[in-house]
Amino acid sequence: GARRRRRSRQLSPRKLPDRVTFVVIPWIILLPFAIKWLYIYPMSRSRDVPAAIRAFRRHGGALRTTQALALGIHPATLYEMRDSGRLIELARGLYRLSEAREASHPDLAVVGAKAPDAAVCLISALAFHEITTQVPAVIHLAVPRGSYYGIKLDPLPAKVYRFDPKTFEAGLENHLIGGNPVRVYDPPRTVADCFKFRNKIGLDVALEALRLARERKKISTKELLQHARALRVERTLQPYLEALS
C-alpha cells in the first residue's frame, strides 16, 4: 500500500508556485507597450554621422527627434551633430541640416513639423502671400471649432483661431516648407477672413490686404466674393471692393 501511494504521488502533476503567475501576467500586459517602444526607439541605433546626414537628406533636410530615433539615429549623434554645427535646432525637438537651404519662412516650417493639422491664416497667411506690410508678432493659426488642439510651437508664439468646420477646408493650399507640408489659406480666402476678423486684427489690415491683393493680381473678384458669401461678410466687403474698382 505504501509503495502504491509513493507511485501515485510521483505521477500526479506538480502545482506551479504562485509566483509564476505574478511573473507571466505583467509580461502579457506590457508586451504591446514593449513592441510599440521598440518600433519607435529601435535597439540598434547608429552613431554613424554620415548615415545620419543621409537620413536627414532623404527627408528634406529636417527631422523631429522622434523621427530621427525611429530612423535609427542615436541621440548622442544628434547632440554631436548639433554641437559641431552640422545641425541647426529650429525649435525644441526639431533639427535641420546646416547645409540645407534655409526655408524662406522658417517659422512656418516649425508649424509643419509641430502642428501639421493647423492652417496658417490671417496676418501670417498675408505675409506668406506678400499682400501686407505687417510683420506678424505671432504665428496666426486656424483649427476647426469644436476640436481640441494643444498647439505648442515653443519657443515661437502662436495665436489660435477657431474656424467654422463647414468652411474650414475652403481655400486651403499645401506648401512644402523646410521639408514639411504646411497648410496655408490662399489669398482670396485670407482676405475674406481678414474682413471677418477685422475687429481682432484691425480693419486697416483688411483694407490694405484687399488693395495689395488686387494690385498684385493675387485674387479675382469672383473668388473673393465666393469666400465672403460663405463667411457671411459679403455685405461688409462689397462697398470697399466697389471703391477700389
Side-chain angles (χ1 to χ4, degrees):
R3 184 178 299 176
R4 286 185 178 180
R5 285 195 296 273
R6 286 196 300 270
R7 182 177 178 84
S8 63
R9 284 198 298 268
Q10 291 174 357
L11 294 178
S12 61
R14 297 183 61 187
K15 182 180 179 182
L16 291 174
D18 293 339
R19 66 174 177 268
V20 175
T21 304
F22 294 102
V23 172
V24 174
I25 291 179
W27 275 109
I28 295 175
I29 297 173
L30 295 175
L31 184 59
F33 300 97
I35 294 174
K36 183 178 180 180
W37 178 268
L38 290 175
Y39 173 76
I40 299 176
Y41 303 104
M43 294 295 290
S44 58
R45 297 199 197 102
S46 173
R47 292 175 180 258
D48 186 1
V49 172
I53 292 175
R54 290 194 295 271
F56 269 88
R57 287 172 179 168
R58 288 196 303 270
H59 291 78
L63 286 173
R64 285 176 286 180
T65 302
T66 53
Q67 292 174 317
L69 296 179
L71 292 171
I73 301 175
H74 199 281
T77 304
L78 286 177
Y79 301 142
E80 178 186 344
M81 294 173 66
R82 180 197 62 189
D83 296 340
S84 64
R86 292 187 177 94
L87 286 180
I88 297 174
E89 191 170 8
L90 299 176
R92 184 178 179 181
L94 178 63
Y95 298 92
R96 176 178 62 83
L97 282 176
S98 56
E99 67 180 36
R101 184 173 62 87
E102 184 176 357
S104 55
H105 301 274
D107 290 355
L108 300 189
V110 176
V111 174
K114 291 196 168 186
D117 295 328
V120 178
C121 66
L122 297 171
I123 300 178
S124 294
L126 293 178
F128 178 79
H129 294 298
E130 298 179 344
I131 50 176
T132 186
T133 59
Q134 303 288 319
V135 178
V138 298
I139 301 176
H140 296 256
L141 299 175
V143 296
R145 188 186 305 121
S147 301
Y148 173 77
Y149 288 84
I151 296 177
K152 294 182 180 180
L153 303 180
D154 297 337
L156 301 177
K159 183 173 180 59
V160 179
Y161 298 83
R162 309 283 174 174
F163 280 17
D164 188 341
K166 295 179 181 179
T167 58
F168 183 80
E169 298 291 334
L172 273 178
E173 297 177 336
N174 290 308
H175 296 269
L176 193 64
I177 304 175
N180 293 296
V182 181
R183 304 206 294 174
V184 185
Y185 282 110
D186 63 16
R189 168 63 192 264
T190 301
V191 172
D193 280 332
C194 287
F195 277 91
K196 185 173 182 64
F197 289 89
R198 63 191 180 279
N199 293 332
K200 292 188 176 181
I201 66 172
L203 179 60
D204 57 327
V205 175
L207 292 175
E208 181 192 53
L210 175 61
R211 178 177 58 82
L212 291 177
R214 285 175 58 84
E215 289 177 358
R216 298 172 184 179
K217 302 186 184 304
K218 297 278 188 174
I219 62 174
S220 69
T221 302
K222 180 180 178 181
E223 289 178 319
L224 178 60
L225 290 177
Q226 284 178 345
H227 287 297
R229 192 174 302 116
L231 298 174
R232 299 180 182 180
V233 291
E234 183 180 14
R235 295 180 62 181
T236 302
L237 188 149
Q238 190 77 47
Y240 298 107
L241 187 60
E242 291 174 356
L244 293 175
S245 300

